Amino acid sequence: DTTFVWLEEIDVPKPKKGEIISGPYKMGPFLMPLTKKINLDFTIFDPLKLNSAGIFYFDKKREEWIYLDTKINNQKSQLSTRILSGEIFAVIREFKPPELTQIYPNVDATYRQQDLDYLEFFVDDDFSGIDGENNIIIKINDGKPLIFEYNIHQKRVYYPFDDQFSTGSHKLHITARDNVGNEKIIKGSFHIK
């Protein structure tokens, strides 16, 4: 079945933590869900504005902007997502990287060999968000990336160590990337005595 779809510019609250670079646009119909997802594309004529940008919709009940999974085509200078209903959409840029807290073991800290049996930290991004394990990389001593547990509700990353560390210095490298590409990197060494 076919339906009439329309777009109109609309005034809604601006995001507290980002900058709207296209929109906001209200896409109708609002009350009729689509049977299949459709593509929603935004062309941004200044390709420099594609960095740290994503497509968001405005949740009227909570009065906040929610990130939608966005693909960027640099050649076409275009952002794309898939949607199932009419909403209020905009392209928003934001530059605040994720926050990492309570890192254990932490850079420049010293631990006793028998006390260090896991790695743990909390990661939070309060706007575009974190896409779980896909957006976090952890390496120790320049080895392969660790396969860790990520609890999305607690925002907790956890990895149990199989073996004890040898005494001396060990490298820790953590990269956390939010959904629009902003990165927080923790890099340094912890020490075992």
Side-chain angles (χ1 to χ4, degrees):
D1 206 6
T2 58
T3 188
F4 179 69
V5 175
W6 68 94
L7 282 175
E8 61 181 292
E9 288 190 62
I10 188 169
D11 258 349
V12 291
K14 295 191 180 341
K16 295 175 185 151
K17 298 177 177 124
E19 165 197 13
I20 294 178
I21 59 170
S22 183
Y25 301 105
K26 177 180 176 181
M27 184 184 132
F30 255 22
L31 303 175
M32 186 183 307
L34 305 169
T35 55
K36 292 181 182 177
K37 286 186 176 186
I38 62 170
N39 290 335
L40 176 65
D41 301 328
F42 283 85
T43 300
I44 306 300
F45 295 103
D46 181 354
L48 297 176
K49 290 188 175 181
L50 292 174
N51 289 343
S52 298
I55 300 173
F56 291 72
Y57 79 92
F58 186 71
D59 184 324
K60 290 191 287 186
K61 288 181 185 171
R62 297 190 307 193
E63 292 203 358
E64 65 182 9
W65 288 95
I66 309 294
Y67 173 80
L68 295 169
D69 185 30
T70 304
K71 306 288 184 244
I72 296 177
N73 183 327
N74 287 304
Q75 289 179 326
K76 291 183 178 180
S77 196
Q78 194 171 70
L79 295 98
S80 303
T81 191
R82 306 222 351 118
I83 59 171
L84 264 174
S85 64
E87 298 286 347
I88 297 169
F89 299 102
V91 175
I92 300 175
R93 291 179 84 192
E94 63 109 349
F95 297 101
K96 186 178 175 198
E99 292 182 20
L100 303 178
T101 57
Q102 300 179 42
I103 301 167
Y104 179 83
N106 207 346
V107 171
D108 296 329
T110 301
Y111 303 92
R112 293 186 322 169
Q113 191 177 45
Q114 64 270 24
D115 293 341
L116 188 60
D117 53 2
Y118 65 91
L119 176 143
E120 178 182 59
F121 61 89
F122 294 84
V123 59
D124 189 25
D125 188 89
D126 58 2
F127 193 48
S128 66
I130 300 282
D131 186 22
E133 303 89 19
N134 299 327
N135 288 24
I136 302 167
I137 299 169
I138 306 166
K139 292 182 182 181
I140 295 185
N141 295 329
D142 297 325
K144 292 182 180 178
L146 301 179
I147 299 173
F148 53 86
E149 297 174 26
Y150 175 64
N151 183 313
I152 194 165
H153 300 294
Q154 295 176 335
K155 302 175 182 179
R156 177 179 174 248
V157 172
Y158 179 81
Y159 179 80
F161 295 127
D162 295 331
D163 301 316
Q164 285 189 333
F165 284 94
S166 59
T167 56
S169 189
H170 297 274
K171 293 180 188 174
L172 175 66
H173 188 137
I174 301 170
T175 302
R177 182 180 303 114
D178 69 13
N179 284 321
V180 295
N182 300 311
E183 281 188 345
K184 175 72 171 191
I185 297 173
I186 303 290
K187 190 175 183 180
S189 297
F190 60 91
H191 311 284
I192 302 295
K193 62 179 183 178

